Amino acid sequence: MKRSTLLPLLLLIYLAVMSYIGRGEFYAGHYTYYFGIIILTLIAIALLHIVLKRREQTKSKKD
């Protein structure tokens, strides 16, 4: 499995676990905080995937 797929996948699993652990914030009514953190993390994971994919493509072009 390529690094550009494996690393974001592992981070998504980590995010799911942390979202479950932090569900107390959701139940306490802090919806903006709870979903804001999740959305920002998803954006960071997506950007990481794009950067790693471009690096793999650049590396394959050089070889």
Side-chain angles (χ1 to χ4, degrees):
M1 188 176 272
K2 291 185 178 183
R3 187 177 195 181
S4 65
T5 304
L6 182 63
L7 189 56
L9 181 63
L10 291 174
L11 289 172
L12 283 173
I13 293 168
Y14 175 75
L15 174 62
V17 170
M18 295 308 291
S19 296
Y20 180 76
I21 291 171
R23 72 189 183 283
E25 292 292 326
F26 177 76
Y27 294 138
H30 303 131
Y31 305 117
T32 306
Y33 175 75
Y34 182 77
F35 288 113
I37 295 297
I38 291 173
I39 290 169
L40 289 175
T41 306
L42 287 173
I43 291 170
I45 291 171
L47 290 174
L48 175 67
H49 173 70
I50 291 168
V51 168
L52 290 174
K53 194 70 144 172
R54 285 186 182 169
R55 279 189 184 176
E56 287 175 356
Q57 290 174 351
T58 303
K59 187 177 178 182
S60 68
K61 286 180 183 177
K62 288 182 180 180
D63 292 340

PDB file of all heavy atoms in Angstrom, residues 3 5-6 8-10 14-15 17-20 23 25 30-31 33 40-43 48 52-53 55-56 63:
ATOM      1  N   ARG A   3       2.275   5.033   0.554  1.00  0.00           N
ATOM      2  CA  ARG A   3       2.340   5.900   1.733  1.00  0.00           C
ATOM      3  C   ARG A   3       1.252   6.975   1.693  1.00  0.00           C
ATOM      4  O   ARG A   3       0.697   7.352   2.728  1.00  0.00           O
ATOM      5  CB  ARG A   3       3.712   6.543   1.787  1.00  0.00           C
ATOM      6  CG  ARG A   3       3.976   7.323   3.021  1.00  0.00           C
ATOM      7  CD  ARG A   3       5.378   7.845   2.989  1.00  0.00           C
ATOM      8  NE  ARG A   3       5.772   8.304   4.310  1.00  0.00           N
ATOM      9  CZ  ARG A   3       6.922   8.827   4.593  1.00  0.00           C
ATOM     10  NH1 ARG A   3       7.828   8.950   3.640  1.00  0.00           N
ATOM     11  NH2 ARG A   3       7.206   9.226   5.795  1.00  0.00           N
ATOM     12  N   THR A   5      -1.658   6.721   0.740  1.00  0.00           N
ATOM     13  CA  THR A   5      -2.941   6.139   1.112  1.00  0.00           C
ATOM     14  C   THR A   5      -2.919   5.646   2.552  1.00  0.00           C
ATOM     15  O   THR A   5      -3.877   5.869   3.307  1.00  0.00           O
ATOM     16  CB  THR A   5      -3.281   4.960   0.180  1.00  0.00           C
ATOM     17  OG1 THR A   5      -3.244   5.420  -1.167  1.00  0.00           O
ATOM     18  CG2 THR A   5      -4.639   4.393   0.483  1.00  0.00           C
ATOM     19  N   LEU A   6      -1.832   5.012   2.938  1.00  0.00           N
ATOM     20  CA  LEU A   6      -1.751   4.399   4.261  1.00  0.00           C
ATOM     21  C   LEU A   6      -1.751   5.434   5.388  1.00  0.00           C
ATOM     22  O   LEU A   6      -2.514   5.301   6.359  1.00  0.00           O
ATOM     23  CB  LEU A   6      -0.498   3.525   4.359  1.00  0.00           C
ATOM     24  CG  LEU A   6      -0.304   2.792   5.681  1.00  0.00           C
ATOM     25  CD1 LEU A   6      -1.441   1.814   5.920  1.00  0.00           C
ATOM     26  CD2 LEU A   6       1.026   2.073   5.690  1.00  0.00           C
ATOM     27  N   PRO A   8      -2.813   8.713   5.532  1.00  0.00           N
ATOM     28  CA  PRO A   8      -4.112   9.352   5.769  1.00  0.00           C
ATOM     29  C   PRO A   8      -5.165   8.378   6.318  1.00  0.00           C
ATOM     30  O   PRO A   8      -5.999   8.757   7.138  1.00  0.00           O
ATOM     31  CB  PRO A   8      -4.527   9.876   4.397  1.00  0.00           C
ATOM     32  CG  PRO A   8      -3.244  10.097   3.695  1.00  0.00           C
ATOM     33  CD  PRO A   8      -2.356   8.983   4.165  1.00  0.00           C
ATOM     34  N   LEU A   9      -5.111   7.131   5.891  1.00  0.00           N
ATOM     35  CA  LEU A   9      -6.048   6.134   6.410  1.00  0.00           C
ATOM     36  C   LEU A   9      -5.848   5.924   7.907  1.00  0.00           C
ATOM     37  O   LEU A   9      -6.816   5.894   8.678  1.00  0.00           O
ATOM     38  CB  LEU A   9      -5.887   4.812   5.656  1.00  0.00           C
ATOM     39  CG  LEU A   9      -6.824   3.686   6.077  1.00  0.00           C
ATOM     40  CD1 LEU A   9      -8.267   4.072   5.806  1.00  0.00           C
ATOM     41  CD2 LEU A   9      -6.456   2.418   5.353  1.00  0.00           C
ATOM     42  N   LEU A  10      -4.600   5.818   8.330  1.00  0.00           N
ATOM     43  CA  LEU A  10      -4.309   5.669   9.756  1.00  0.00           C
ATOM     44  C   LEU A  10      -4.750   6.908  10.540  1.00  0.00           C
ATOM     45  O   LEU A  10      -5.280   6.788  11.654  1.00  0.00           O
ATOM     46  CB  LEU A  10      -2.819   5.409   9.969  1.00  0.00           C
ATOM     47  CG  LEU A  10      -2.298   4.064   9.485  1.00  0.00           C
ATOM     48  CD1 LEU A  10      -0.780   3.995   9.628  1.00  0.00           C
ATOM     49  CD2 LEU A  10      -2.961   2.927  10.227  1.00  0.00           C
ATOM     50  N   TYR A  14      -7.485   7.232  13.565  1.00  0.00           N
ATOM     51  CA  TYR A  14      -7.161   7.958  14.794  1.00  0.00           C
ATOM     52  C   TYR A  14      -8.209   9.041  15.062  1.00  0.00           C
ATOM     53  O   TYR A  14      -8.655   9.214  16.202  1.00  0.00           O
ATOM     54  CB  TYR A  14      -5.761   8.575  14.664  1.00  0.00           C
ATOM     55  CG  TYR A  14      -5.369   9.435  15.833  1.00  0.00           C
ATOM     56  CD1 TYR A  14      -5.006   8.865  17.047  1.00  0.00           C
ATOM     57  CD2 TYR A  14      -5.346  10.823  15.733  1.00  0.00           C
ATOM     58  CE1 TYR A  14      -4.633   9.656  18.126  1.00  0.00           C
ATOM     59  CE2 TYR A  14      -4.985  11.615  16.798  1.00  0.00           C
ATOM     60  CZ  TYR A  14      -4.626  11.025  17.998  1.00  0.00           C
ATOM     61  OH  TYR A  14      -4.271  11.801  19.061  1.00  0.00           O
ATOM     62  N   LEU A  15      -8.619   9.766  14.027  1.00  0.00           N
ATOM     63  CA  LEU A  15      -9.639  10.803  14.180  1.00  0.00           C
ATOM     64  C   LEU A  15     -10.959  10.201  14.653  1.00  0.00           C
ATOM     65  O   LEU A  15     -11.633  10.774  15.508  1.00  0.00           O
ATOM     66  CB  LEU A  15      -9.850  11.555  12.864  1.00  0.00           C
ATOM     67  CG  LEU A  15     -10.981  12.581  12.840  1.00  0.00           C
ATOM     68  CD1 LEU A  15     -10.728  13.690  13.859  1.00  0.00           C
ATOM     69  CD2 LEU A  15     -11.136  13.161  11.449  1.00  0.00           C
ATOM     70  N   VAL A  17     -11.398   7.510  16.456  1.00  0.00           N
ATOM     71  CA  VAL A  17     -11.248   7.147  17.866  1.00  0.00           C
ATOM     72  C   VAL A  17     -11.296   8.392  18.745  1.00  0.00           C
ATOM     73  O   VAL A  17     -11.990   8.423  19.771  1.00  0.00           O
ATOM     74  CB  VAL A  17      -9.936   6.356  18.091  1.00  0.00           C
ATOM     75  CG1 VAL A  17      -9.647   6.177  19.564  1.00  0.00           C
ATOM     76  CG2 VAL A  17     -10.003   5.013  17.387  1.00  0.00           C
ATOM     77  N   MET A  18     -10.591   9.427  18.353  1.00  0.00           N
ATOM     78  CA  MET A  18     -10.571  10.658  19.145  1.00  0.00           C
ATOM     79  C   MET A  18     -11.938  11.345  19.152  1.00  0.00           C
ATOM     80  O   MET A  18     -12.332  11.943  20.155  1.00  0.00           O
ATOM     81  CB  MET A  18      -9.497  11.611  18.630  1.00  0.00           C
ATOM     82  CG  MET A  18      -8.086  11.085  18.801  1.00  0.00           C
ATOM     83  SD  MET A  18      -7.694  10.542  20.475  1.00  0.00           S
ATOM     84  CE  MET A  18      -7.694  12.089  21.326  1.00  0.00           C
ATOM     85  N   SER A  19     -12.678  11.244  18.061  1.00  0.00           N
ATOM     86  CA  SER A  19     -14.023  11.804  18.022  1.00  0.00           C
ATOM     87  C   SER A  19     -14.942  11.069  18.986  1.00  0.00           C
ATOM     88  O   SER A  19     -15.787  11.669  19.643  1.00  0.00           O
ATOM     89  CB  SER A  19     -14.601  11.718  16.609  1.00  0.00           C
ATOM     90  OG  SER A  19     -13.853  12.493  15.727  1.00  0.00           O
ATOM     91  N   TYR A  20     -14.761   9.768  19.060  1.00  0.00           N
ATOM     92  CA  TYR A  20     -15.548   8.973  19.999  1.00  0.00           C
ATOM     93  C   TYR A  20     -15.193   9.329  21.440  1.00  0.00           C
ATOM     94  O   TYR A  20     -16.078   9.492  22.287  1.00  0.00           O
ATOM     95  CB  TYR A  20     -15.320   7.481  19.741  1.00  0.00           C
ATOM     96  CG  TYR A  20     -16.108   6.601  20.680  1.00  0.00           C
ATOM     97  CD1 TYR A  20     -17.464   6.409  20.503  1.00  0.00           C
ATOM     98  CD2 TYR A  20     -15.489   5.972  21.749  1.00  0.00           C
ATOM     99  CE1 TYR A  20     -18.203   5.616  21.373  1.00  0.00           C
ATOM    100  CE2 TYR A  20     -16.201   5.172  22.627  1.00  0.00           C
ATOM    101  CZ  TYR A  20     -17.556   4.997  22.431  1.00  0.00           C
ATOM    102  OH  TYR A  20     -18.275   4.217  23.294  1.00  0.00           O
ATOM    103  N   ARG A  23     -16.662  12.752  22.490  1.00  0.00           N
ATOM    104  CA  ARG A  23     -18.091  12.944  22.296  1.00  0.00           C
ATOM    105  C   ARG A  23     -18.760  13.665  23.464  1.00  0.00           C
ATOM    106  O   ARG A  23     -19.863  14.187  23.318  1.00  0.00           O
ATOM    107  CB  ARG A  23     -18.776  11.617  22.007  1.00  0.00           C
ATOM    108  CG  ARG A  23     -18.885  10.687  23.186  1.00  0.00           C
ATOM    109  CD  ARG A  23     -19.380   9.308  22.779  1.00  0.00           C
ATOM    110  NE  ARG A  23     -19.559   8.437  23.918  1.00  0.00           N
ATOM    111  CZ  ARG A  23     -18.598   7.809  24.591  1.00  0.00           C
ATOM    112  NH1 ARG A  23     -17.345   7.983  24.197  1.00  0.00           N
ATOM    113  NH2 ARG A  23     -18.854   7.051  25.619  1.00  0.00           N
ATOM    114  N   GLU A  25     -17.915  16.512  24.590  1.00  0.00           N
ATOM    115  CA  GLU A  25     -18.060  17.898  24.137  1.00  0.00           C
ATOM    116  C   GLU A  25     -19.329  18.056  23.313  1.00  0.00           C
ATOM    117  O   GLU A  25     -20.037  19.056  23.426  1.00  0.00           O
ATOM    118  CB  GLU A  25     -16.847  18.332  23.313  1.00  0.00           C
ATOM    119  CG  GLU A  25     -15.570  18.458  24.093  1.00  0.00           C
ATOM    120  CD  GLU A  25     -15.601  19.611  25.070  1.00  0.00           C
ATOM    121  OE1 GLU A  25     -16.224  20.650  24.777  1.00  0.00           O
ATOM    122  OE2 GLU A  25     -14.998  19.458  26.142  1.00  0.00           O
ATOM    123  N   HIS A  30     -21.383  21.715  22.862  1.00  0.00           N
ATOM    124  CA  HIS A  30     -20.329  22.475  22.178  1.00  0.00           C
ATOM    125  C   HIS A  30     -20.177  21.959  20.743  1.00  0.00           C
ATOM    126  O   HIS A  30     -19.133  21.450  20.354  1.00  0.00           O
ATOM    127  CB  HIS A  30     -19.005  22.345  22.935  1.00  0.00           C
ATOM    128  CG  HIS A  30     -19.094  22.776  24.354  1.00  0.00           C
ATOM    129  ND1 HIS A  30     -18.622  22.014  25.381  1.00  0.00           N
ATOM    130  CD2 HIS A  30     -19.615  23.888  24.919  1.00  0.00           C
ATOM    131  CE1 HIS A  30     -18.837  22.635  26.514  1.00  0.00           C
ATOM    132  NE2 HIS A  30     -19.444  23.788  26.263  1.00  0.00           N
ATOM    133  N   TYR A  31     -21.236  22.141  19.966  1.00  0.00           N
ATOM    134  CA  TYR A  31     -21.268  21.588  18.614  1.00  0.00           C
ATOM    135  C   TYR A  31     -20.241  22.224  17.689  1.00  0.00           C
ATOM    136  O   TYR A  31     -19.585  21.528  16.910  1.00  0.00           O
ATOM    137  CB  TYR A  31     -22.667  21.751  18.009  1.00  0.00           C
ATOM    138  CG  TYR A  31     -23.766  21.167  18.858  1.00  0.00           C
ATOM    139  CD1 TYR A  31     -24.759  21.970  19.400  1.00  0.00           C
ATOM    140  CD2 TYR A  31     -23.798  19.812  19.125  1.00  0.00           C
ATOM    141  CE1 TYR A  31     -25.765  21.436  20.186  1.00  0.00           C
ATOM    142  CE2 TYR A  31     -24.796  19.257  19.905  1.00  0.00           C
ATOM    143  CZ  TYR A  31     -25.775  20.072  20.433  1.00  0.00           C
ATOM    144  OH  TYR A  31     -26.752  19.533  21.209  1.00  0.00           O
ATOM    145  N   TYR A  33     -17.381  23.662  18.406  1.00  0.00           N
ATOM    146  CA  TYR A  33     -16.038  23.212  18.774  1.00  0.00           C
ATOM    147  C   TYR A  33     -15.806  21.776  18.297  1.00  0.00           C
ATOM    148  O   TYR A  33     -14.799  21.482  17.657  1.00  0.00           O
ATOM    149  CB  TYR A  33     -15.867  23.303  20.294  1.00  0.00           C
ATOM    150  CG  TYR A  33     -14.554  22.752  20.798  1.00  0.00           C
ATOM    151  CD1 TYR A  33     -13.373  23.468  20.636  1.00  0.00           C
ATOM    152  CD2 TYR A  33     -14.495  21.516  21.427  1.00  0.00           C
ATOM    153  CE1 TYR A  33     -12.171  22.962  21.091  1.00  0.00           C
ATOM    154  CE2 TYR A  33     -13.292  21.005  21.884  1.00  0.00           C
ATOM    155  CZ  TYR A  33     -12.139  21.734  21.716  1.00  0.00           C
ATOM    156  OH  TYR A  33     -10.954  21.232  22.156  1.00  0.00           O
ATOM    157  N   LEU A  40     -11.511  20.643  10.555  1.00  0.00           N
ATOM    158  CA  LEU A  40     -10.128  21.089  10.349  1.00  0.00           C
ATOM    159  C   LEU A  40      -9.172  19.912  10.214  1.00  0.00           C
ATOM    160  O   LEU A  40      -8.252  19.938   9.389  1.00  0.00           O
ATOM    161  CB  LEU A  40      -9.690  22.002  11.496  1.00  0.00           C
ATOM    162  CG  LEU A  40     -10.318  23.382  11.523  1.00  0.00           C
ATOM    163  CD1 LEU A  40      -9.897  24.131  12.781  1.00  0.00           C
ATOM    164  CD2 LEU A  40      -9.939  24.158  10.280  1.00  0.00           C
ATOM    165  N   THR A  41      -9.399  18.879  10.993  1.00  0.00           N
ATOM    166  CA  THR A  41      -8.550  17.694  10.911  1.00  0.00           C
ATOM    167  C   THR A  41      -8.739  16.985   9.574  1.00  0.00           C
ATOM    168  O   THR A  41      -7.764  16.532   8.963  1.00  0.00           O
ATOM    169  CB  THR A  41      -8.845  16.733  12.078  1.00  0.00           C
ATOM    170  OG1 THR A  41      -8.718  17.449  13.304  1.00  0.00           O
ATOM    171  CG2 THR A  41      -7.897  15.554  12.074  1.00  0.00           C
ATOM    172  N   LEU A  42      -9.970  16.896   9.103  1.00  0.00           N
ATOM    173  CA  LEU A  42     -10.225  16.269   7.801  1.00  0.00           C
ATOM    174  C   LEU A  42      -9.562  17.055   6.671  1.00  0.00           C
ATOM    175  O   LEU A  42      -9.022  16.464   5.728  1.00  0.00           O
ATOM    176  CB  LEU A  42     -11.733  16.153   7.554  1.00  0.00           C
ATOM    177  CG  LEU A  42     -12.455  15.090   8.364  1.00  0.00           C
ATOM    178  CD1 LEU A  42     -13.961  15.212   8.155  1.00  0.00           C
ATOM    179  CD2 LEU A  42     -11.971  13.699   8.001  1.00  0.00           C
ATOM    180  N   ILE A  43      -9.581  18.378   6.766  1.00  0.00           N
ATOM    181  CA  ILE A  43      -8.915  19.210   5.754  1.00  0.00           C
ATOM    182  C   ILE A  43      -7.410  18.960   5.775  1.00  0.00           C
ATOM    183  O   ILE A  43      -6.785  18.810   4.715  1.00  0.00           O
ATOM    184  CB  ILE A  43      -9.242  20.701   5.985  1.00  0.00           C
ATOM    185  CG1 ILE A  43     -10.711  20.964   5.661  1.00  0.00           C
ATOM    186  CG2 ILE A  43      -8.327  21.604   5.157  1.00  0.00           C
ATOM    187  CD1 ILE A  43     -11.206  22.335   6.084  1.00  0.00           C
ATOM    188  N   LEU A  48      -2.630  16.544   3.324  1.00  0.00           N
ATOM    189  CA  LEU A  48      -1.507  15.613   3.444  1.00  0.00           C
ATOM    190  C   LEU A  48      -1.552  14.576   2.335  1.00  0.00           C
ATOM    191  O   LEU A  48      -0.530  14.265   1.719  1.00  0.00           O
ATOM    192  CB  LEU A  48      -1.528  14.929   4.809  1.00  0.00           C
ATOM    193  CG  LEU A  48      -0.482  13.844   5.022  1.00  0.00           C
ATOM    194  CD1 LEU A  48       0.919  14.450   5.041  1.00  0.00           C
ATOM    195  CD2 LEU A  48      -0.757  13.084   6.302  1.00  0.00           C
ATOM    196  N   LEU A  52       1.418  14.125  -0.442  1.00  0.00           N
ATOM    197  CA  LEU A  52       2.121  12.844  -0.581  1.00  0.00           C
ATOM    198  C   LEU A  52       1.914  12.249  -1.968  1.00  0.00           C
ATOM    199  O   LEU A  52       2.834  11.649  -2.539  1.00  0.00           O
ATOM    200  CB  LEU A  52       1.647  11.864   0.492  1.00  0.00           C
ATOM    201  CG  LEU A  52       2.077  12.175   1.926  1.00  0.00           C
ATOM    202  CD1 LEU A  52       1.425  11.201   2.894  1.00  0.00           C
ATOM    203  CD2 LEU A  52       3.580  12.145   2.059  1.00  0.00           C
ATOM    204  N   LYS A  53       0.720  12.404  -2.523  1.00  0.00           N
ATOM    205  CA  LYS A  53       0.434  11.884  -3.864  1.00  0.00           C
ATOM    206  C   LYS A  53       1.297  12.605  -4.901  1.00  0.00           C
ATOM    207  O   LYS A  53       1.858  11.974  -5.803  1.00  0.00           O
ATOM    208  CB  LYS A  53      -1.045  12.087  -4.164  1.00  0.00           C
ATOM    209  CG  LYS A  53      -1.534  11.329  -5.344  1.00  0.00           C
ATOM    210  CD  LYS A  53      -1.562   9.880  -5.024  1.00  0.00           C
ATOM    211  CE  LYS A  53      -2.738   9.237  -5.686  1.00  0.00           C
ATOM    212  NZ  LYS A  53      -2.680   7.799  -5.545  1.00  0.00           N
ATOM    213  N   ARG A  55       4.179  14.070  -4.364  1.00  0.00           N
ATOM    214  CA  ARG A  55       5.570  13.633  -4.186  1.00  0.00           C
ATOM    215  C   ARG A  55       5.811  12.288  -4.856  1.00  0.00           C
ATOM    216  O   ARG A  55       6.840  12.075  -5.494  1.00  0.00           O
ATOM    217  CB  ARG A  55       5.907  13.509  -2.700  1.00  0.00           C
ATOM    218  CG  ARG A  55       6.249  14.788  -2.054  1.00  0.00           C
ATOM    219  CD  ARG A  55       6.765  14.537  -0.667  1.00  0.00           C
ATOM    220  NE  ARG A  55       7.018  15.782   0.025  1.00  0.00           N
ATOM    221  CZ  ARG A  55       7.411  15.859   1.279  1.00  0.00           C
ATOM    222  NH1 ARG A  55       7.574  14.754   1.983  1.00  0.00           N
ATOM    223  NH2 ARG A  55       7.629  17.018   1.834  1.00  0.00           N
ATOM    224  N   GLU A  56       4.855  11.369  -4.711  1.00  0.00           N
ATOM    225  CA  GLU A  56       5.003  10.068  -5.374  1.00  0.00           C
ATOM    226  C   GLU A  56       5.023  10.210  -6.876  1.00  0.00           C
ATOM    227  O   GLU A  56       5.808   9.543  -7.558  1.00  0.00           O
ATOM    228  CB  GLU A  56       3.864   9.139  -4.944  1.00  0.00           C
ATOM    229  CG  GLU A  56       3.982   8.628  -3.529  1.00  0.00           C
ATOM    230  CD  GLU A  56       2.780   7.813  -3.106  1.00  0.00           C
ATOM    231  OE1 GLU A  56       1.809   7.692  -3.886  1.00  0.00           O
ATOM    232  OE2 GLU A  56       2.809   7.283  -1.991  1.00  0.00           O
ATOM    233  N   ASP A  63      12.279   8.734 -11.975  1.00  0.00           N
ATOM    234  CA  ASP A  63      12.863   7.385 -12.121  1.00  0.00           C
ATOM    235  C   ASP A  63      12.745   6.843 -13.497  1.00  0.00           C
ATOM    236  O   ASP A  63      12.194   7.070 -14.376  1.00  0.00           O
ATOM    237  CB  ASP A  63      12.201   6.408 -11.153  1.00  0.00           C
ATOM    238  CG  ASP A  63      12.552   6.727  -9.694  1.00  0.00           C
ATOM    239  OD1 ASP A  63      13.565   7.419  -9.483  1.00  0.00           O
ATOM    240  OD2 ASP A  63      11.797   6.297  -8.834  1.00  0.00           O
TER     241      ASP A  63
END
